[in-house]
Amino acid sequence: MSSITSLFQQAQIAEAAYADFIDNSGNLIVNDNDVIAALTAEKFSLAQAADFVSDWKVVDHISDTTSGFSATIFE
């Protein structure tokens, strides 16, 4: 893998980590269409979000805590 490809993937993951992957009921969003919606709400283009879910899946997500910490794990 070229370093440019690696940097692009790392940048996409970093940007995707800002999306909220918890639905209104407090459940983790894992369905591709719902993940795409969460990514596009965070300013991904539809094509970029669709490409992202073809390579990555959401494993876990912790929304902003009282300390301001949040995290997302992708596989």
Side-chain angles (χ1 to χ4, degrees):
M1 175 184 311
S2 74
S3 59
I4 291 174
T5 302
S6 176
L7 289 172
F8 175 74
Q9 286 181 340
Q10 291 172 26
Q12 270 202 316
I13 292 169
E15 185 178 357
Y18 284 95
D20 186 6
F21 296 106
I22 302 295
D23 67 16
N24 293 334
S25 300
N27 299 313
L28 180 66
I29 293 173
V30 293
N31 174 287
D32 283 355
N33 291 331
D34 295 335
V35 171
I36 288 171
L39 291 170
T40 56
E42 193 53 48
K43 308 295 188 231
F44 268 56
S45 70
L46 185 56
Q48 183 184 13
D51 182 60
F52 186 85
V53 299
S54 71
D55 294 327
W56 299 97
K57 72 177 190 174
V58 178
V59 175
D60 201 359
H61 177 77
I62 299 171
S63 296
D64 292 334
T65 63
T66 56
S67 69
F69 174 80
S70 66
T72 306
I73 300 173
F74 299 102
E75 177 179 40

